[in-house]
Amino acid sequence: MNCHEAHEQMYGYLDRESGVVRRLRVRWHLYRCPPCGKGFSFEYALRLRVRQGCRDELPEELSHRLRALLREQTDGQG
Ligand SMILES: [Zn+2]
């Protein structure tokens, strides 16, 4: 398997559509080829995040403001 094939098979692997042998071959290539392994990790993390629905992901600025607001309130009551 070369890099091109690995990339093509990667999506089947991620979507669990590939058979056992094909999955093993993809895995072996990713293990032997660091650039493809990195690409795979990225795709994998991306899919995981999408599956989780980005629920607990707040924009940096918003979470910062929220924290500042909470701190103000607790200080006021203190
Ligand atoms: Zn490769």
Side-chain angles (χ1 to χ4, degrees), residues 1-7 10 29-30 32-37:
M1 183 177 284
N2 59 36
C3 292
H4 181 70
E5 282 175 318
H7 275 268
M10 205 190 273
H29 181 86
L30 295 173
R32 296 285 304 272
C33 181
C36 286

Side-chain angles (χ1 to χ4, degrees), residues 31-50:
Y31 176 70
R32 296 285 304 272
C33 181
C36 286
K38 258 190 193 169
F40 178 81
S41 306
F42 177 77
E43 290 287 342
Y44 186 76
L46 201 71
R47 246 147 235 252
L48 213 65
R49 188 164 282 194
V50 169

Side-chain angles (χ1 to χ4, degrees), residues 65-77:
R65 269 194 214 170
L66 213 64
R67 235 172 279 159
L69 199 72
L70 282 171
R71 209 178 301 138
E72 262 178 33
Q73 282 191 345
T74 24
D75 282 350
Q77 284 168 1

